[in-house]
Structures are given as structure tokens and as C-alpha cells.
Amino acid sequence: MKKNKWGKIYLAVVFFVLYAPIFYLMFYSFNAGGTMNNFSGFTWDYYKEVFQDTRLLIIVLNTFVIALLSSVVATILGVLGALAIRYMPRPFAKNSLLSLNNVLIVSPDVVIGASFLIFFTILGVKLGFISVLVSHIAFSIPIVVLMVLPKLQEMSPTLIDAARDLGASQWNVLSKVILPYIAPGVFAGFFMALTYSLDDFAVTFFVTGNGFSTLSVEIYSRARQGISLSINALSTLLFLFTIVLVIGYYFINQRNAKAMGVPKK
């Protein structure tokens, strides 16, 4: 009991350290005083500034377009990559591909961003929408692979054998057996890729050109100019949107678990 009590206290402290700065930022986004020191009154002015800033709204649109497109493409390629790794006959080739996939997960974002910058410069690709989109797809694919691969490894080979014995083609096996079974992993990979794309700064900072920006880069640029509570308001909206994504993924996961007959935890 004593160990359990200390574990709960430790967990509470960790959550407090993680979320206290976020709630502090959110609280002062409503401060009429314009500072983050003394709360002098409640106001919605900084949220109005965010929605009246046409340039910022275009950047928001750019960010969501990049996030959605990169997540969809990365999910498709990640599922294909996970299938290739899972059913590759040679163990050495399988382990090599999995290691190469994991390298991108553990590599620092600065290294990845600088590598993409050099790569696009050598190819003569103009930095902007295309460079950011390709970069986000590239660093999202390993995330999807790691989300999908455990579901593939968990699936019994007898399911595929039974489908083939019943006369199912390769496409029917994939579309009616494998994909429905790994759907929770696919959704998890998609939402993880979407979240990473929305939050990414380091890689995007290297590959963003003049005339194109995303929210993370824009917030960084504005923060360098001094304290503005419109940044707090924008960050609060982003945090709330992320919460909505997490809740949406939770309900989708629960619905899939219910459809498969898995009891709730």
C-alpha cells in the first residue's frame, strides 16, 4: 500500500510539472493587462486578434493541409512498409529494414532537418510547400510502421491460411482479413503522424522557404519579437485541438474494440 501511495504521488508530481506551464500560458491568454505577471481582468481580445489576422489564418490552413496530406500518405506507405517487414522471408533483411526504420525515430530532429535541407538544395528543389510536405511524410512513416507492426505480429497466420483455403485472392486477404484486423494500429499511426506533423518545429524550420510557414515556425518567430498574449491564445487553441484529437482517437479505438468483442479495460 505504501509503495502504491508513493507511486501515485510521483505520478501526480510528473503530471503537474508537465501541465502547469501549459495551464499558466492558457490562464494569461485571457489577461486584459497584456502581461504574464499580474492578472488585471478577463478579456477575449487576444483570441479576436488571432481570428482577425488573415496571414495567421492562412498559416493555420497551411499547417492543417500539410498535416492531413502527410498523415494520409505516411499512413499508406507505413502500412505497406509494415507489411513488407512482417512478411519478408529473410530474417537479416527484415531486421535491417526494421533497424533503418528505427534510426529515423531516435535521430535528432536537427540532424533530420539539416539532412533534408542539404538534400533539397542538391536537387534544386525550392523550399516551400513541397519540401515541407515531403519532410513530414518522411519522418511520419517510421511512426506509422511502429504502430502497425505489433498488430501484424499479433495476428495469427491461420487467419490468412483459412482465407486462402476458402478461395480468397491476395487482394481479398489484404482488404478483408489483414486491414480490418490491423485497423486500430492504422488509426493510431494516422493520429500519431497527424500530431507529430502539427507539432513539429525543428525539421520544418530547416525546410521552410520564404512565403510559406507553419504554425510552429510562426509562433517561434513571434515569440522572438517579445511577449504577445496572442501567442498564448494561439497556443491554447492548438492545445485544445490536440485534446480533441486524442479524445477522438480514444472513442474510435473503443468502437473498434467493441466491434471486435474486446472487453473494456
Side-chain angles (χ1 to χ4, degrees):
M1 291 294 292
K2 190 174 181 180
K3 289 184 178 179
N4 190 31
K5 178 182 177 181
W6 282 109
K8 290 181 179 179
I9 293 174
Y10 173 77
L11 189 62
V13 171
V14 169
F15 274 102
F16 176 79
V17 171
L18 288 174
Y19 283 95
I22 297 176
F23 288 119
Y24 178 82
L25 179 148
M26 294 173 66
F27 177 74
Y28 277 99
S29 68
F30 301 101
N31 185 19
T35 66
M36 294 183 66
N37 295 322
N38 298 311
F39 193 87
S40 58
F42 184 89
T43 182
W44 290 99
D45 289 346
Y46 304 107
Y47 289 88
K48 292 178 182 178
E49 285 183 19
V50 170
F51 288 105
Q52 290 173 354
D53 191 336
T54 305
R55 179 177 177 274
L56 184 59
L57 293 178
I58 293 174
I59 292 173
V60 171
L61 181 61
N62 290 339
T63 303
F64 283 105
V65 169
I66 288 288
L68 289 171
L69 284 178
S70 64
S71 300
V72 170
V73 176
T75 300
I76 295 172
L77 296 179
V79 170
L80 295 176
L83 288 168
I85 293 173
R86 175 65 180 88
Y87 296 108
M88 187 164 289
R90 296 182 179 180
F92 177 77
K94 178 187 294 188
N95 293 331
S96 298
L97 280 177
L98 188 57
S99 298
L100 289 173
N101 181 80
N102 294 338
V103 164
L104 286 176
I105 297 290
V106 300
S107 296
D109 287 345
V110 174
V111 174
I112 297 174
S115 300
F116 275 119
L117 176 60
I118 296 171
F119 176 72
F120 290 130
T121 302
I122 292 174
L123 293 181
V125 177
K126 184 180 179 181
L127 298 181
F129 178 83
I130 298 298
S131 61
V132 174
L133 178 61
V134 171
S135 301
H136 281 225
I137 291 172
F139 71 66
S140 296
I141 290 175
I143 300 169
V144 178
V145 171
L146 289 183
M147 290 290 145
V148 175
L149 199 55
K151 294 298 295 182
L152 284 171
Q153 293 170 341
E154 178 186 303
M155 186 175 64
S156 175
T158 56
L159 291 174
I160 298 176
D161 293 337
R164 287 174 177 168
D165 290 341
L166 293 172
S169 63
Q170 287 290 103
W171 172 250
N172 287 333
V173 170
L174 177 63
S175 61
K176 296 182 179 180
V177 179
I178 297 177
L179 288 180
Y181 190 91
I182 65 173
V186 175
F187 279 113
F190 172 79
F191 280 107
M192 285 293 291
L194 185 66
T195 303
Y196 268 73
S197 179
L198 288 173
D199 294 341
D200 180 74
F201 166 74
V203 176
T204 308
F205 182 77
F206 278 94
V207 297
T208 299
N210 294 329
F212 184 86
S213 184
T214 61
L215 275 174
S216 57
V217 177
E218 180 66 15
I219 290 173
Y220 172 76
S221 301
R222 295 193 178 200
R224 291 181 62 188
Q225 299 173 3
I227 295 176
S228 173
L229 296 189
S230 60
I231 298 175
N232 292 41
L234 180 59
S235 301
T236 299
L237 294 173
L238 283 176
F239 177 74
L240 293 176
F241 178 76
T242 304
I243 294 295
V244 171
L245 283 182
V246 172
I247 294 173
Y249 167 68
Y250 171 79
F251 281 110
I252 290 173
N253 196 34
Q254 289 296 312
R255 186 182 66 180
N256 289 335
K258 185 177 180 181
M260 295 177 65
V262 178
K264 292 183 180 180
K265 296 181 179 179

